[in-house]
Amino acid sequence: MAKNTFSTTNSLRTIEAAIIEAKTSKTGASFYYVLWGLILSIYFIIHFLIIINSNLRGTIIDTFNWVLFPIGGFLSYSNKSKDQKKETNVPQLEKVYLFAFTGFAFMYAILTFASTYLSSSIAIMLFPLIIGSTVYVVGGISKHKISIFCGIFSMLLTVVSVLSKLEIQFLIASIACISSCIIPGITMRKSNV
Amino acid sequence: MFNELDPLLHSQLRLAIISLLIGLEEAEFVYLKEKTKASAGNLSLQIDKLCLAGYISVKKGFKGKYPVTICKITPKGLKAFEDYVATIKTYIKI
């Protein structure tokens, strides 16, 4: 197009079209939400079952449930490698997810240390709060309404968790994973998040 | 009364490149080519102009065996874009 026919109106149309195109780029976050939601949910359910059924103590389920995490790490890594081969752009939301969830991991690690030091179940008690708040904030930034509502629901579960016994706290943590991770993850597939 | 529009950005293809990069962390050459529907030669030329002006940074590497060119807007480019949009607004108001 000749330079002298490029009007200000055309400029605005070009900018608008380009920004809309850039917004349609997906982050692929839905896979990680569903994967880690499932892993954490299963992990907490296992601990719930072990507490209510003492026959499960010392079994393979009790001894090897930690294996879920390296499996999750391997699946995450292989999916990331596959994505990197295909993807031709990096949406700005990727940084948001990176900082939000590494922040969540730090919080949970510190709470776990505090639990051990204080001999209390503070980490599992507050798990719904920290996962819910992380998903709520990310949902707000990415304008994904389901993440916002599910994050709020998960945060509210903390009230029940605080008033419950340890085994119920594990069950509530599992429900929080379903609410904060699996449900938003599944619905994200259809949206530009 | 009217500020001059940045001649580097007042070009459809260069403006499209910058506008795409505004909304992304970074983008590959193939992505920009797909979205702008420009020819490889013309796109490469415009990217070089923007890079020389310091509006975008260009990183060349490999993805497996294939060469890849990754573009990212710079703070200078972001400021230039903001000034451009502000100037356009004055034109539209009048």
Side-chain angles (χ1 to χ4, degrees), chain B:
Chain B
M1 196 178 176
F2 290 107
N3 289 332
E4 198 186 316
L5 286 167
D6 185 343
L8 201 55
L9 293 183
H10 198 58
S11 145
Q12 189 171 11
L13 182 52
R14 288 195 293 269
L15 184 60
I17 293 166
I18 286 281
S19 300
L20 283 166
L21 293 176
I22 285 280
L24 299 167
E25 191 60 35
E26 58 186 40
E28 286 181 19
F29 183 88
V30 290
Y31 176 83
L32 295 173
K33 184 169 176 298
E34 182 197 329
K35 296 301 175 185
T36 59
K37 295 179 175 42
S39 65
N42 192 15
L43 183 63
S44 183
L45 182 67
Q46 305 311 328
I47 286 174
D48 281 346
K49 286 185 181 176
L50 289 168
C51 186
L52 272 167
Y55 288 3
I56 65 173
S57 64
V58 175
K59 195 170 64 179
K60 290 184 192 280
F62 283 90
K63 206 183 246 187
K65 296 177 192 174
Y66 301 99
V68 68
T69 301
I70 298 169
C71 303
K72 190 174 179 174
I73 196 164
T74 60
K76 186 179 177 185
L78 190 59
K79 176 79 174 58
F81 180 80
E82 287 170 355
D83 291 343
Y84 182 83
V85 172
T87 307
I88 290 256
K89 281 182 180 175
T90 61
Y91 278 73
I92 305 282
K93 273 180 193 169
I94 293 159

Side-chain angles (χ1 to χ4, degrees), chain A residues 22-86:
Chain A
K23 273 188 179 177
T24 60
S25 298
K26 290 195 178 193
T27 59
S30 64
F31 173 83
Y32 302 100
Y33 266 66
V34 174
L35 172 70
W36 286 101
L38 271 172
I39 285 172
L40 287 170
S41 183
I42 292 169
Y43 180 76
F44 291 131
I45 287 278
I46 288 172
H47 280 271
F48 163 70
L49 292 172
I50 288 168
I51 294 172
I52 63 167
N53 184 357
S54 55
N55 292 333
L56 289 173
R57 284 178 201 168
T59 60
I60 293 174
I61 293 171
D62 185 16
T63 315
F64 292 104
N65 60 70
W66 58 267
V67 165
L68 288 167
F69 293 98
I71 290 172
F74 173 75
L75 290 172
S76 293
Y77 176 77
S78 63
N79 188 71
K80 180 75 180 167
S81 301
K82 194 179 75 174
D83 275 351
Q84 276 179 339
K85 284 178 189 168
K86 281 190 311 187

